[in-house]
PDB file of all heavy atoms in Angstrom:
ATOM      1  N   LEU A   1      96.131 134.387 144.153  1.00  0.00           N
ATOM      2  CA  LEU A   1      95.047 133.593 143.592  1.00  0.00           C
ATOM      3  C   LEU A   1      95.218 132.110 143.893  1.00  0.00           C
ATOM      4  O   LEU A   1      94.255 131.390 144.169  1.00  0.00           O
ATOM      5  CB  LEU A   1      94.967 133.814 142.079  1.00  0.00           C
ATOM      6  CG  LEU A   1      94.464 135.191 141.618  1.00  0.00           C
ATOM      7  CD1 LEU A   1      94.523 135.288 140.104  1.00  0.00           C
ATOM      8  CD2 LEU A   1      93.058 135.439 142.127  1.00  0.00           C
ATOM      9  N   THR A   2      96.458 131.641 143.840  1.00  0.00           N
ATOM     10  CA  THR A   2      96.714 130.224 144.099  1.00  0.00           C
ATOM     11  C   THR A   2      96.378 129.847 145.530  1.00  0.00           C
ATOM     12  O   THR A   2      95.702 128.833 145.788  1.00  0.00           O
ATOM     13  CB  THR A   2      98.176 129.890 143.805  1.00  0.00           C
ATOM     14  OG1 THR A   2      98.447 130.150 142.418  1.00  0.00           O
ATOM     15  CG2 THR A   2      98.484 128.432 144.103  1.00  0.00           C
ATOM     16  N   PHE A   3      96.816 130.673 146.489  1.00  0.00           N
ATOM     17  CA  PHE A   3      96.641 130.314 147.890  1.00  0.00           C
ATOM     18  C   PHE A   3      95.261 130.656 148.430  1.00  0.00           C
ATOM     19  O   PHE A   3      94.844 130.085 149.437  1.00  0.00           O
ATOM     20  CB  PHE A   3      97.716 131.011 148.746  1.00  0.00           C
ATOM     21  CG  PHE A   3      99.041 130.314 148.712  1.00  0.00           C
ATOM     22  CD1 PHE A   3     100.003 130.659 147.784  1.00  0.00           C
ATOM     23  CD2 PHE A   3      99.325 129.297 149.610  1.00  0.00           C
ATOM     24  CE1 PHE A   3     101.225 130.021 147.741  1.00  0.00           C
ATOM     25  CE2 PHE A   3     100.548 128.643 149.590  1.00  0.00           C
ATOM     26  CZ  PHE A   3     101.504 129.003 148.643  1.00  0.00           C
ATOM     27  N   THR A   4      94.557 131.573 147.796  1.00  0.00           N
ATOM     28  CA  THR A   4      93.243 131.953 148.322  1.00  0.00           C
ATOM     29  C   THR A   4      92.087 131.408 147.514  1.00  0.00           C
ATOM     30  O   THR A   4      90.948 131.436 147.995  1.00  0.00           O
ATOM     31  CB  THR A   4      93.107 133.493 148.379  1.00  0.00           C
ATOM     32  OG1 THR A   4      93.239 134.026 147.042  1.00  0.00           O
ATOM     33  CG2 THR A   4      94.178 134.088 149.271  1.00  0.00           C
ATOM     34  N   LEU A   5      92.357 130.904 146.293  1.00  0.00           N
ATOM     35  CA  LEU A   5      91.252 130.413 145.468  1.00  0.00           C
ATOM     36  C   LEU A   5      91.518 129.022 144.916  1.00  0.00           C
ATOM     37  O   LEU A   5      90.764 128.077 145.184  1.00  0.00           O
ATOM     38  CB  LEU A   5      90.987 131.391 144.320  1.00  0.00           C
ATOM     39  CG  LEU A   5      89.848 131.007 143.369  1.00  0.00           C
ATOM     40  CD1 LEU A   5      88.531 130.941 144.118  1.00  0.00           C
ATOM     41  CD2 LEU A   5      89.759 132.000 142.206  1.00  0.00           C
ATOM     42  N   LEU A   6      92.592 128.866 144.143  1.00  0.00           N
ATOM     43  CA  LEU A   6      92.817 127.593 143.449  1.00  0.00           C
ATOM     44  C   LEU A   6      93.104 126.453 144.419  1.00  0.00           C
ATOM     45  O   LEU A   6      92.564 125.354 144.285  1.00  0.00           O
ATOM     46  CB  LEU A   6      93.972 127.756 142.452  1.00  0.00           C
ATOM     47  CG  LEU A   6      93.752 128.781 141.339  1.00  0.00           C
ATOM     48  CD1 LEU A   6      94.954 128.830 140.421  1.00  0.00           C
ATOM     49  CD2 LEU A   6      92.490 128.447 140.547  1.00  0.00           C
ATOM     50  N   LEU A   7      93.972 126.700 145.388  1.00  0.00           N
ATOM     51  CA  LEU A   7      94.330 125.625 146.321  1.00  0.00           C
ATOM     52  C   LEU A   7      93.131 125.196 147.177  1.00  0.00           C
ATOM     53  O   LEU A   7      92.847 123.991 147.278  1.00  0.00           O
ATOM     54  CB  LEU A   7      95.501 126.061 147.188  1.00  0.00           C
ATOM     55  CG  LEU A   7      96.103 124.996 148.104  1.00  0.00           C
ATOM     56  CD1 LEU A   7      96.627 123.825 147.284  1.00  0.00           C
ATOM     57  CD2 LEU A   7      97.232 125.579 148.950  1.00  0.00           C
ATOM     58  N   PRO A   8      92.391 126.123 147.803  1.00  0.00           N
ATOM     59  CA  PRO A   8      91.207 125.664 148.551  1.00  0.00           C
ATOM     60  C   PRO A   8      90.166 125.000 147.658  1.00  0.00           C
ATOM     61  O   PRO A   8      89.528 124.021 148.059  1.00  0.00           O
ATOM     62  CB  PRO A   8      90.659 126.960 149.168  1.00  0.00           C
ATOM     63  CG  PRO A   8      91.821 127.891 149.200  1.00  0.00           C
ATOM     64  CD  PRO A   8      92.643 127.565 147.994  1.00  0.00           C
ATOM     65  N   ALA A   9      89.997 125.523 146.416  1.00  0.00           N
ATOM     66  CA  ALA A   9      88.988 124.939 145.525  1.00  0.00           C
ATOM     67  C   ALA A   9      89.367 123.545 145.070  1.00  0.00           C
ATOM     68  O   ALA A   9      88.497 122.716 144.776  1.00  0.00           O
ATOM     69  CB  ALA A   9      88.788 125.841 144.307  1.00  0.00           C
ATOM     70  N   SER A  10      90.652 123.235 145.010  1.00  0.00           N
ATOM     71  CA  SER A  10      91.067 121.898 144.585  1.00  0.00           C
ATOM     72  C   SER A  10      90.594 120.831 145.566  1.00  0.00           C
ATOM     73  O   SER A  10      90.381 119.669 145.187  1.00  0.00           O
ATOM     74  CB  SER A  10      92.590 121.852 144.441  1.00  0.00           C
ATOM     75  OG  SER A  10      93.234 122.074 145.696  1.00  0.00           O
ATOM     76  N   GLY A  11      90.406 121.213 146.821  1.00  0.00           N
ATOM     77  CA  GLY A  11      89.912 120.246 147.791  1.00  0.00           C
ATOM     78  C   GLY A  11      88.471 119.865 147.585  1.00  0.00           C
ATOM     79  O   GLY A  11      88.009 118.831 148.097  1.00  0.00           O
ATOM     80  N   LEU A  12      87.717 120.674 146.819  1.00  0.00           N
ATOM     81  CA  LEU A  12      86.316 120.343 146.560  1.00  0.00           C
ATOM     82  C   LEU A  12      86.165 119.190 145.576  1.00  0.00           C
ATOM     83  O   LEU A  12      85.132 118.527 145.546  1.00  0.00           O
ATOM     84  CB  LEU A  12      85.589 121.587 146.023  1.00  0.00           C
ATOM     85  CG  LEU A  12      85.582 122.817 146.940  1.00  0.00           C
ATOM     86  CD1 LEU A  12      84.871 123.974 146.261  1.00  0.00           C
ATOM     87  CD2 LEU A  12      84.923 122.485 148.272  1.00  0.00           C
ATOM     88  N   ARG A  13      87.192 118.941 144.798  1.00  0.00           N
ATOM     89  CA  ARG A  13      87.134 117.874 143.793  1.00  0.00           C
ATOM     90  C   ARG A  13      87.708 116.558 144.301  1.00  0.00           C
ATOM     91  O   ARG A  13      87.443 115.510 143.724  1.00  0.00           O
ATOM     92  CB  ARG A  13      87.872 118.311 142.528  1.00  0.00           C
ATOM     93  CG  ARG A  13      87.282 119.560 141.885  1.00  0.00           C
ATOM     94  CD  ARG A  13      88.051 119.947 140.637  1.00  0.00           C
ATOM     95  NE  ARG A  13      88.033 118.871 139.646  1.00  0.00           N
ATOM     96  CZ  ARG A  13      87.094 118.733 138.722  1.00  0.00           C
ATOM     97  NH1 ARG A  13      86.079 119.591 138.679  1.00  0.00           N
ATOM     98  NH2 ARG A  13      87.141 117.740 137.846  1.00  0.00           N
ATOM     99  N   HIS A  14      88.510 116.635 145.335  1.00  0.00           N
ATOM    100  CA  HIS A  14      89.152 115.422 145.855  1.00  0.00           C
ATOM    101  C   HIS A  14      88.988 115.399 147.376  1.00  0.00           C
ATOM    102  O   HIS A  14      89.501 116.283 148.070  1.00  0.00           O
ATOM    103  CB  HIS A  14      90.638 115.389 145.485  1.00  0.00           C
ATOM    104  CG  HIS A  14      90.883 115.505 144.012  1.00  0.00           C
ATOM    105  ND1 HIS A  14      90.720 114.451 143.134  1.00  0.00           N
ATOM    106  CD2 HIS A  14      91.271 116.566 143.254  1.00  0.00           C
ATOM    107  CE1 HIS A  14      91.004 114.845 141.906  1.00  0.00           C
ATOM    108  NE2 HIS A  14      91.344 116.127 141.951  1.00  0.00           N
ATOM    109  N   ASP A  15      88.290 114.395 147.868  1.00  0.00           N
ATOM    110  CA  ASP A  15      88.029 114.318 149.299  1.00  0.00           C
ATOM    111  C   ASP A  15      89.310 114.174 150.101  1.00  0.00           C
ATOM    112  O   ASP A  15      89.455 114.774 151.179  1.00  0.00           O
ATOM    113  CB  ASP A  15      87.093 113.142 149.596  1.00  0.00           C
ATOM    114  CG  ASP A  15      85.704 113.357 149.000  1.00  0.00           C
ATOM    115  OD1 ASP A  15      85.375 114.524 148.710  1.00  0.00           O
ATOM    116  OD2 ASP A  15      84.973 112.358 148.821  1.00  0.00           O
ATOM    117  N   ASP A  16      90.245 113.353 149.612  1.00  0.00           N
ATOM    118  CA  ASP A  16      91.491 113.144 150.351  1.00  0.00           C
ATOM    119  C   ASP A  16      92.290 114.443 150.438  1.00  0.00           C
ATOM    120  O   ASP A  16      92.864 114.765 151.487  1.00  0.00           O
ATOM    121  CB  ASP A  16      92.330 112.059 149.670  1.00  0.00           C
ATOM    122  CG  ASP A  16      91.681 110.688 149.759  1.00  0.00           C
ATOM    123  OD1 ASP A  16      90.811 110.511 150.639  1.00  0.00           O
ATOM    124  OD2 ASP A  16      92.039 109.809 148.951  1.00  0.00           O
ATOM    125  N   LEU A  17      92.322 115.187 149.328  1.00  0.00           N
ATOM    126  CA  LEU A  17      93.043 116.455 149.340  1.00  0.00           C
ATOM    127  C   LEU A  17      92.372 117.454 150.271  1.00  0.00           C
ATOM    128  O   LEU A  17      93.055 118.203 150.986  1.00  0.00           O
ATOM    129  CB  LEU A  17      93.129 117.019 147.921  1.00  0.00           C
ATOM    130  CG  LEU A  17      93.851 118.366 147.764  1.00  0.00           C
ATOM    131  CD1 LEU A  17      95.278 118.271 148.270  1.00  0.00           C
ATOM    132  CD2 LEU A  17      93.819 118.822 146.313  1.00  0.00           C
ATOM    133  N   ARG A  18      91.040 117.465 150.303  1.00  0.00           N
ATOM    134  CA  ARG A  18      90.330 118.376 151.188  1.00  0.00           C
ATOM    135  C   ARG A  18      90.648 118.071 152.646  1.00  0.00           C
ATOM    136  O   ARG A  18      90.892 118.979 153.456  1.00  0.00           O
ATOM    137  CB  ARG A  18      88.829 118.290 150.942  1.00  0.00           C
ATOM    138  CG  ARG A  18      88.027 119.238 151.841  1.00  0.00           C
ATOM    139  CD  ARG A  18      86.565 119.327 151.443  1.00  0.00           C
ATOM    140  NE  ARG A  18      85.866 118.055 151.599  1.00  0.00           N
ATOM    141  CZ  ARG A  18      85.415 117.319 150.586  1.00  0.00           C
ATOM    142  NH1 ARG A  18      85.587 117.745 149.337  1.00  0.00           N
ATOM    143  NH2 ARG A  18      84.797 116.173 150.791  1.00  0.00           N
ATOM    144  N   SER A  19      90.664 116.789 152.988  1.00  0.00           N
ATOM    145  CA  SER A  19      90.979 116.409 154.368  1.00  0.00           C
ATOM    146  C   SER A  19      92.405 116.783 154.728  1.00  0.00           C
ATOM    147  O   SER A  19      92.682 117.241 155.848  1.00  0.00           O
ATOM    148  CB  SER A  19      90.765 114.896 154.550  1.00  0.00           C
ATOM    149  OG  SER A  19      89.425 114.545 154.255  1.00  0.00           O
ATOM    150  N   TRP A  20      93.318 116.611 153.750  1.00  0.00           N
ATOM    151  CA  TRP A  20      94.728 116.944 154.014  1.00  0.00           C
ATOM    152  C   TRP A  20      94.903 118.451 154.197  1.00  0.00           C
ATOM    153  O   TRP A  20      95.649 118.899 155.076  1.00  0.00           O
ATOM    154  CB  TRP A  20      95.572 116.450 152.845  1.00  0.00           C
ATOM    155  CG  TRP A  20      97.040 116.730 153.016  1.00  0.00           C
ATOM    156  CD1 TRP A  20      97.927 116.051 153.788  1.00  0.00           C
ATOM    157  CD2 TRP A  20      97.769 117.774 152.380  1.00  0.00           C
ATOM    158  NE1 TRP A  20      99.186 116.600 153.679  1.00  0.00           N
ATOM    159  CE2 TRP A  20      99.117 117.672 152.821  1.00  0.00           C
ATOM    160  CE3 TRP A  20      97.435 118.791 151.485  1.00  0.00           C
ATOM    161  CZ2 TRP A  20     100.102 118.542 152.398  1.00  0.00           C
ATOM    162  CZ3 TRP A  20      98.413 119.656 151.063  1.00  0.00           C
ATOM    163  CH2 TRP A  20      99.739 119.542 151.506  1.00  0.00           C
ATOM    164  N   LEU A  21      94.202 119.258 153.382  1.00  0.00           N
ATOM    165  CA  LEU A  21      94.298 120.715 153.522  1.00  0.00           C
ATOM    166  C   LEU A  21      93.719 121.190 154.847  1.00  0.00           C
ATOM    167  O   LEU A  21      94.287 122.071 155.509  1.00  0.00           O
ATOM    168  CB  LEU A  21      93.567 121.399 152.358  1.00  0.00           C
ATOM    169  CG  LEU A  21      94.222 121.307 150.983  1.00  0.00           C
ATOM    170  CD1 LEU A  21      93.309 121.889 149.918  1.00  0.00           C
ATOM    171  CD2 LEU A  21      95.566 122.017 150.970  1.00  0.00           C
ATOM    172  N   ARG A  22      92.587 120.597 155.241  1.00  0.00           N
ATOM    173  CA  ARG A  22      91.972 121.015 156.494  1.00  0.00           C
ATOM    174  C   ARG A  22      92.829 120.658 157.698  1.00  0.00           C
ATOM    175  O   ARG A  22      92.779 121.342 158.725  1.00  0.00           O
ATOM    176  CB  ARG A  22      90.594 120.368 156.637  1.00  0.00           C
ATOM    177  CG  ARG A  22      89.551 120.921 155.675  1.00  0.00           C
ATOM    178  CD  ARG A  22      88.206 120.253 155.858  1.00  0.00           C
ATOM    179  NE  ARG A  22      87.186 120.842 154.993  1.00  0.00           N
ATOM    180  CZ  ARG A  22      85.922 120.450 154.947  1.00  0.00           C
ATOM    181  NH1 ARG A  22      85.521 119.443 155.730  1.00  0.00           N
ATOM    182  NH2 ARG A  22      85.059 121.028 154.137  1.00  0.00           N
ATOM    183  N   ALA A  23      93.617 119.605 157.583  1.00  0.00           N
ATOM    184  CA  ALA A  23      94.454 119.178 158.710  1.00  0.00           C
ATOM    185  C   ALA A  23      95.780 119.926 158.772  1.00  0.00           C
ATOM    186  O   ALA A  23      96.456 119.894 159.805  1.00  0.00           O
ATOM    187  CB  ALA A  23      94.725 117.677 158.625  1.00  0.00           C
ATOM    188  N   GLY A  24      96.172 120.599 157.684  1.00  0.00           N
ATOM    189  CA  GLY A  24      97.465 121.259 157.636  1.00  0.00           C
ATOM    190  C   GLY A  24      97.369 122.769 157.735  1.00  0.00           C
ATOM    191  O   GLY A  24      96.295 123.345 157.912  1.00  0.00           O
ATOM    192  N   PRO A  25      98.509 123.442 157.605  1.00  0.00           N
ATOM    193  CA  PRO A  25      98.532 124.909 157.746  1.00  0.00           C
ATOM    194  C   PRO A  25      98.141 125.658 156.475  1.00  0.00           C
ATOM    195  O   PRO A  25      97.974 126.874 156.512  1.00  0.00           O
ATOM    196  CB  PRO A  25     100.004 125.184 158.092  1.00  0.00           C
ATOM    197  CG  PRO A  25     100.765 124.082 157.397  1.00  0.00           C
ATOM    198  CD  PRO A  25      99.853 122.866 157.455  1.00  0.00           C
ATOM    199  N   LEU A  26      97.999 124.960 155.341  1.00  0.00           N
ATOM    200  CA  LEU A  26      97.671 125.625 154.079  1.00  0.00           C
ATOM    201  C   LEU A  26      96.205 126.065 154.054  1.00  0.00           C
ATOM    202  O   LEU A  26      95.375 125.503 154.760  1.00  0.00           O
ATOM    203  CB  LEU A  26      97.964 124.693 152.904  1.00  0.00           C
ATOM    204  CG  LEU A  26      99.441 124.339 152.679  1.00  0.00           C
ATOM    205  CD1 LEU A  26      99.573 123.321 151.557  1.00  0.00           C
ATOM    206  CD2 LEU A  26     100.259 125.587 152.365  1.00  0.00           C
ATOM    207  N   PRO A  27      95.880 127.071 153.246  1.00  0.00           N
ATOM    208  CA  PRO A  27      94.474 127.513 153.153  1.00  0.00           C
ATOM    209  C   PRO A  27      93.576 126.405 152.633  1.00  0.00           C
ATOM    210  O   PRO A  27      93.955 125.631 151.753  1.00  0.00           O
ATOM    211  CB  PRO A  27      94.547 128.683 152.158  1.00  0.00           C
ATOM    212  CG  PRO A  27      95.968 129.125 152.146  1.00  0.00           C
ATOM    213  CD  PRO A  27      96.782 127.902 152.422  1.00  0.00           C
ATOM    214  N   ASP A  28      92.377 126.312 153.185  1.00  0.00           N
ATOM    215  CA  ASP A  28      91.412 125.310 152.742  1.00  0.00           C
ATOM    216  C   ASP A  28      90.035 125.962 152.613  1.00  0.00           C
ATOM    217  O   ASP A  28      89.895 127.178 152.765  1.00  0.00           O
ATOM    218  CB  ASP A  28      91.371 124.119 153.717  1.00  0.00           C
ATOM    219  CG  ASP A  28      91.072 124.563 155.129  1.00  0.00           C
ATOM    220  OD1 ASP A  28      89.975 125.090 155.357  1.00  0.00           O
ATOM    221  OD2 ASP A  28      91.944 124.405 156.012  1.00  0.00           O
ATOM    222  N   ASP A  29      89.026 125.149 152.324  1.00  0.00           N
ATOM    223  CA  ASP A  29      87.697 125.695 152.089  1.00  0.00           C
ATOM    224  C   ASP A  29      87.001 126.154 153.362  1.00  0.00           C
ATOM    225  O   ASP A  29      85.858 126.629 153.312  1.00  0.00           O
ATOM    226  CB  ASP A  29      86.828 124.665 151.375  1.00  0.00           C
ATOM    227  CG  ASP A  29      86.680 123.382 152.195  1.00  0.00           C
ATOM    228  OD1 ASP A  29      87.488 123.160 153.113  1.00  0.00           O
ATOM    229  OD2 ASP A  29      85.754 122.609 151.901  1.00  0.00           O
ATOM    230  N   ALA A  30      87.654 126.035 154.509  1.00  0.00           N
ATOM    231  CA  ALA A  30      87.044 126.495 155.763  1.00  0.00           C
ATOM    232  C   ALA A  30      86.781 127.996 155.729  1.00  0.00           C
ATOM    233  O   ALA A  30      85.892 128.494 156.420  1.00  0.00           O
ATOM    234  CB  ALA A  30      87.935 126.139 156.950  1.00  0.00           C
ATOM    235  N   ALA A  31      87.574 128.733 154.919  1.00  0.00           N
ATOM    236  CA  ALA A  31      87.365 130.178 154.818  1.00  0.00           C
ATOM    237  C   ALA A  31      86.046 130.517 154.171  1.00  0.00           C
ATOM    238  O   ALA A  31      85.542 131.636 154.315  1.00  0.00           O
ATOM    239  CB  ALA A  31      88.522 130.807 154.041  1.00  0.00           C
ATOM    240  N   TRP A  32      85.475 129.578 153.427  1.00  0.00           N
ATOM    241  CA  TRP A  32      84.208 129.833 152.732  1.00  0.00           C
ATOM    242  C   TRP A  32      83.007 129.300 153.503  1.00  0.00           C
ATOM    243  O   TRP A  32      81.876 129.610 153.156  1.00  0.00           O
ATOM    244  CB  TRP A  32      84.214 129.174 151.352  1.00  0.00           C
ATOM    245  CG  TRP A  32      85.400 129.544 150.519  1.00  0.00           C
ATOM    246  CD1 TRP A  32      86.155 130.663 150.628  1.00  0.00           C
ATOM    247  CD2 TRP A  32      85.965 128.780 149.453  1.00  0.00           C
ATOM    248  NE1 TRP A  32      87.164 130.667 149.697  1.00  0.00           N
ATOM    249  CE2 TRP A  32      87.071 129.523 148.954  1.00  0.00           C
ATOM    250  CE3 TRP A  32      85.652 127.564 148.870  1.00  0.00           C
ATOM    251  CZ2 TRP A  32      87.857 129.069 147.901  1.00  0.00           C
ATOM    252  CZ3 TRP A  32      86.432 127.116 147.816  1.00  0.00           C
ATOM    253  CH2 TRP A  32      87.527 127.858 147.335  1.00  0.00           C
ATOM    254  N   LEU A  33      83.238 128.459 154.513  1.00  0.00           N
ATOM    255  CA  LEU A  33      82.139 127.799 155.219  1.00  0.00           C
ATOM    256  C   LEU A  33      81.675 128.644 156.396  1.00  0.00           C
ATOM    257  O   LEU A  33      82.478 129.303 157.065  1.00  0.00           O
ATOM    258  CB  LEU A  33      82.589 126.421 155.707  1.00  0.00           C
ATOM    259  CG  LEU A  33      83.067 125.456 154.608  1.00  0.00           C
ATOM    260  CD1 LEU A  33      83.520 124.149 155.238  1.00  0.00           C
ATOM    261  CD2 LEU A  33      81.969 125.217 153.584  1.00  0.00           C
ATOM    262  N   SER A  34      80.402 128.621 156.644  1.00  0.00           N
ATOM    263  CA  SER A  34      79.843 129.394 157.750  1.00  0.00           C
ATOM    264  C   SER A  34      79.890 128.661 159.073  1.00  0.00           C
ATOM    265  O   SER A  34      79.512 129.220 160.103  1.00  0.00           O
ATOM    266  CB  SER A  34      78.385 129.750 157.432  1.00  0.00           C
ATOM    267  OG  SER A  34      77.613 128.570 157.223  1.00  0.00           O
ATOM    268  N   GLY A  35      80.320 127.414 159.061  1.00  0.00           N
ATOM    269  CA  GLY A  35      80.377 126.640 160.288  1.00  0.00           C
ATOM    270  C   GLY A  35      79.257 125.619 160.369  1.00  0.00           C
ATOM    271  O   GLY A  35      78.414 125.506 159.467  1.00  0.00           O
ATOM    272  N   PRO A  36      79.201 124.845 161.431  1.00  0.00           N
ATOM    273  CA  PRO A  36      78.175 123.791 161.546  1.00  0.00           C
ATOM    274  C   PRO A  36      76.777 124.382 161.692  1.00  0.00           C
ATOM    275  O   PRO A  36      76.592 125.484 162.218  1.00  0.00           O
ATOM    276  CB  PRO A  36      78.601 123.036 162.808  1.00  0.00           C
ATOM    277  CG  PRO A  36      79.402 124.027 163.596  1.00  0.00           C
ATOM    278  CD  PRO A  36      80.111 124.872 162.594  1.00  0.00           C
ATOM    279  N   LEU A  37      75.773 123.639 161.205  1.00  0.00           N
ATOM    280  CA  LEU A  37      74.377 124.048 161.336  1.00  0.00           C
ATOM    281  C   LEU A  37      73.910 123.904 162.775  1.00  0.00           C
ATOM    282  O   LEU A  37      74.449 123.109 163.549  1.00  0.00           O
ATOM    283  CB  LEU A  37      73.493 123.212 160.419  1.00  0.00           C
ATOM    284  CG  LEU A  37      73.621 123.449 158.910  1.00  0.00           C
ATOM    285  CD1 LEU A  37      72.787 122.425 158.165  1.00  0.00           C
ATOM    286  CD2 LEU A  37      73.201 124.862 158.541  1.00  0.00           C
ATOM    287  N   SER A  38      72.917 124.685 163.115  1.00  0.00           N
ATOM    288  CA  SER A  38      72.319 124.534 164.441  1.00  0.00           C
ATOM    289  C   SER A  38      71.573 123.201 164.501  1.00  0.00           C
ATOM    290  O   SER A  38      71.232 122.596 163.475  1.00  0.00           O
ATOM    291  CB  SER A  38      71.357 125.691 164.722  1.00  0.00           C
ATOM    292  OG  SER A  38      70.279 125.666 163.810  1.00  0.00           O
ATOM    293  N   ALA A  39      71.318 122.742 165.717  1.00  0.00           N
ATOM    294  CA  ALA A  39      70.638 121.452 165.889  1.00  0.00           C
ATOM    295  C   ALA A  39      69.257 121.450 165.249  1.00  0.00           C
ATOM    296  O   ALA A  39      68.791 120.432 164.728  1.00  0.00           O
ATOM    297  CB  ALA A  39      70.540 121.129 167.386  1.00  0.00           C
ATOM    298  N   ALA A  40      68.569 122.629 165.257  1.00  0.00           N
ATOM    299  CA  ALA A  40      67.227 122.687 164.688  1.00  0.00           C
ATOM    300  C   ALA A  40      67.229 122.482 163.186  1.00  0.00           C
ATOM    301  O   ALA A  40      66.224 122.054 162.608  1.00  0.00           O
ATOM    302  CB  ALA A  40      66.584 124.038 165.025  1.00  0.00           C
ATOM    303  N   HIS A  41      68.340 122.772 162.523  1.00  0.00           N
ATOM    304  CA  HIS A  41      68.438 122.628 161.071  1.00  0.00           C
ATOM    305  C   HIS A  41      69.246 121.401 160.663  1.00  0.00           C
ATOM    306  O   HIS A  41      69.621 121.262 159.499  1.00  0.00           O
ATOM    307  CB  HIS A  41      69.078 123.870 160.455  1.00  0.00           C
ATOM    308  CG  HIS A  41      68.226 125.091 160.551  1.00  0.00           C
ATOM    309  ND1 HIS A  41      68.759 126.361 160.641  1.00  0.00           N
ATOM    310  CD2 HIS A  41      66.872 125.242 160.592  1.00  0.00           C
ATOM    311  CE1 HIS A  41      67.775 127.247 160.713  1.00  0.00           C
ATOM    312  NE2 HIS A  41      66.616 126.594 160.680  1.00  0.00           N
TER     313      HIS A  41
END
C-alpha cells in the first residue's frame, strides 16, 4: 500500500516531492496517468 498508493499520492500534494519521485526510481503518479494529450485536445 505504501509503495503503490501512499507514496505516489503524496506527490499530488507537494509539487517538489512529485518532481523528485518522477525523476527517481521510486513509484510515482505516472502509473495513474494516461500520458500526454493529443495535439487536437
Side-chain angles (χ1 to χ4, degrees):
L1 289 176
T2 299
F3 280 92
T4 61
L5 180 62
L6 298 181
L7 187 60
S10 64
L12 301 178
R13 300 180 59 89
H14 304 282
D15 294 340
D16 293 340
L17 179 59
R18 180 170 64 249
S19 301
W20 180 78
L21 289 174
R22 290 180 176 180
L26 294 175
D28 56 64
D29 60 342
W32 307 336
L33 301 178
S34 59
L37 290 174
S38 64
H41 292 150

